[in-house]
Amino acid sequence: MQIISGLFIILAHLVAGNLLSELMGGFVPGSVVGMVLMFISLMTGLVKDHQIRKVATFLTDNMTVFFLPAFIGIMELWGLISMNLFAWFAVVVLSTVLVLMASAYTQEGVEALASKLNRRK
């Protein structure tokens, strides 16, 4: 029963996120809005972590299953991709570098903020 209720909680947040995303004009993906809603629910105590732990662990342990459709799509379009392989490679490298830089600056900012808050105490 705990697995079914945990799955229901996660899916309910996903559906709510998709609905809110549509109401906002689809600017932010529904899955992202759903994750923010789940975070808020966990932080406020509306959802307890033990309620979703088993399902969340299962989903993250088997995350590669969710990437299979994307890999299959890439293989189906390999002829098109191979014609522009250098451009694709450049985009992948550039986006990877930008994500690494954004992550590093975010981490520095969080550490600086945490340091500032610790000094106030």
Side-chain angles (χ1 to χ4, degrees), residues 21-87:
S21 174
E22 287 297 318
L23 289 174
M24 294 187 299
F27 180 73
V28 179
S31 57
V32 173
V33 177
M35 283 192 292
V36 170
L37 291 174
M38 177 63 78
F39 176 74
I40 291 169
S41 296
L42 287 165
M43 293 304 293
T44 59
L46 186 63
V47 173
K48 306 290 186 221
D49 64 341
H50 65 84
Q51 293 174 298
I52 60 168
R53 183 178 307 269
K54 284 185 180 180
V55 176
T57 301
F58 173 79
L59 291 173
T60 53
D61 286 348
N62 297 291
M63 197 177 295
T64 53
V65 173
F66 299 112
F67 291 104
L68 283 177
F71 291 141
I72 292 169
I74 288 172
M75 291 298 108
E76 286 180 352
L77 296 174
W78 182 249
L80 180 64
I81 292 171
S82 64
M83 291 184 338
N84 301 312
L85 199 55
F86 180 76

Side-chain angles (χ1 to χ4, degrees), residues 2 5 28 37 43 45 48 63 66 72-73 96 100-101 106-108:
Q2 185 180 11
S5 64
V28 179
L37 291 174
M43 293 304 293
K48 306 290 186 221
M63 197 177 295
F66 299 112
I72 292 169
T96 300
L100 286 171
M101 289 173 57
T106 301
Q107 179 65 30
E108 284 181 1

